[in-house]
Amino acid sequence: MPDIRTKICGLTRPQDIDAVAAARAAYAGFVFFEKSPRHLDLETARALAVAVPVGIAKVALTVNASDADLDRIVERVPLDMLQLHGSESPERVAELRARYGLPIMKAVGVADESDLPALVEYGRVVDQLLVDAKPPKGAALPGGNGLAFDWRLIAGRRWPVPWMLAGGLTPENVAEAIHLTGARQIDVSSGVEGAPGVKDADQIAAFVAAATA
């Protein structure tokens, strides 16, 4: 299997950083969205980000954040990438990419074939795409719901920029997801938790091992 890069999102504790480093994940994700059980205040996020070993990319997940909120995050927390997980338009994405000079990853929810053109549209203005399961109507969270979509929808498809697969992935199904989609990058949050917002080091290790086997 080709080299697969994994992202563990929604880290909240120092031991989560240790687990991500031990498993040799490629990305560490921090959530700045108050409705999420994984939401961090700036000081906690800064302490965690500082502890991330060199070579692991630090990613901030935000949802329709204002310039003021993003300014505070970027000023206080050492980051390598911004992940936009809301309804940000392509114009907004391009504006933020220019404003902060950081690579941008845009999450695009997929439920059926009608959602795929948005990946092409955003692919013109971002550095990476996150192909995620579209949340159910009325869901409080735009991601981290433990839902998958029909992976066959994107089998063999490619976009102008690198992309990452997310949505309902677990240590048990990640190898199948990679096989069906051809994904080279994989994102997980709730799939390696013992409880909402609480990561499990053994599950993180098992996930990365299964993805990179």
Side-chain angles (χ1 to χ4, degrees):
M1 187 179 288
D3 184 37
I4 304 295
R5 292 165 62 81
T6 55
K7 174 171 169 280
I8 314 299
C9 195
L11 308 176
T12 59
R13 306 169 301 165
Q15 57 263 47
D16 298 342
I17 305 299
D18 295 338
V20 166
R24 299 193 175 185
Y27 301 85
F30 304 109
V31 175
F32 300 90
F33 183 55
E34 290 185 359
K35 293 181 181 178
S36 171
R38 306 164 190 98
H39 171 68
L40 298 174
D41 62 71
L42 291 178
E43 295 314 308
T44 300
R46 177 178 174 79
L48 292 175
V50 167
V52 173
V54 172
I56 299 176
K58 301 175 290 294
V59 184
L61 184 158
T62 65
V63 180
N64 299 324
S66 66
D67 286 357
D69 285 340
L70 287 167
D71 286 349
R72 283 190 284 271
I73 293 169
V74 171
E75 285 168 6
R76 292 293 301 147
V77 184
L79 296 170
D80 299 301
M81 180 177 287
L82 293 176
Q83 177 179 329
L84 307 180
H85 218 106
S87 57
E88 301 91 355
S89 68
E91 294 75 21
R92 174 66 171 160
V93 172
E95 174 188 311
L96 294 176
R97 192 167 179 251
R99 180 181 179 92
Y100 296 108
L102 287 170
I104 300 284
M105 180 188 295
K106 178 69 180 85
V108 177
V110 172
D112 55 48
E113 199 146 344
S114 68
D115 297 312
L116 299 181
L119 288 160
V120 177
E121 187 177 8
Y122 282 105
R124 299 188 182 108
V125 295
V126 297
D127 298 278
Q128 295 206 39
L129 290 164
L130 182 74
V131 186
D132 200 359
K134 182 179 278 189
K137 288 192 185 305
L141 303 178
N145 293 298
L147 299 174
F149 63 96
D150 184 350
W151 295 319
R152 293 170 297 184
L153 283 169
I154 62 168
R157 295 181 185 266
R158 296 296 177 266
W159 295 281
V161 294
W163 62 281
M164 187 176 289
L165 181 67
L169 296 171
T170 67
E172 291 73 33
N173 69 13
V174 66
E176 180 189 9
I178 292 168
H179 175 71
L180 286 176
T181 64
R184 302 287 297 274
Q185 300 194 108
I186 297 289
D187 177 273
V188 68
S189 184
S190 60
V192 291
E193 291 181 346
V198 182
K199 293 291 183 283
D200 181 289
D202 290 339
Q203 289 191 50
I204 289 174
F207 183 89
V208 176
T212 57

